[in-house]
Amino acid sequence: MLAEEQQDKVFKALADHRRRRMLDLLRDAPRTTGDLCELFAGLDRCTVMQHLGVLEKADLVIVKREGRTRWNYLNPLPIREIHDRWISRYATGAVDLLARLKRDMEGS
């Protein structure tokens, strides 16, 4: 499990809609920093880099450099750890509830 401080970084990173959008884009495919700058035309390169820095500190983005090109890859593991701790046990209860509701409705 993530240390509390690392979890705080993940939640902070996920709190901003632009960073969530960056992660959505990286989920589809790795992208260069230049690609992300083009996709976020309303933000200057410095701001995009700051957002990527927050994501990198939270370990949500892994950076690989090829010459002068910086490739950004999604690291889904911190989100999975958050899911396992905070969501999965509640989701199981919700699925059980829906299954009971379905049985009750079918039995009527």
Side-chain angles (χ1 to χ4, degrees), residues 17-85:
H17 67 94
R18 293 162 294 196
R19 291 192 286 264
R20 291 191 305 271
R21 179 71 183 127
M22 287 179 185
L23 293 175
D24 287 339
L25 292 166
L26 295 176
R27 178 186 57 208
D28 297 336
R31 297 184 187 267
T32 66
T33 301
D35 292 339
L36 290 171
C37 288
E38 288 177 17
L39 293 167
F40 288 87
L43 301 178
D44 61 33
R45 186 175 183 84
C46 182
T47 303
V48 170
M49 291 294 295
Q50 288 175 339
H51 284 298
L52 286 170
V54 172
L55 293 169
E56 193 175 357
K57 285 179 186 168
D59 200 28
L60 291 166
V61 168
I62 297 169
V63 174
K64 294 194 179 183
R65 298 186 192 285
E66 291 179 7
R68 293 178 47 138
T69 304
R70 174 188 153 118
W71 283 93
N72 301 283
Y73 294 82
L74 173 66
N75 178 15
L77 293 178
I79 295 171
R80 177 60 192 229
E81 290 175 0
I82 296 274
H83 172 271
D84 290 348
R85 178 175 179 191

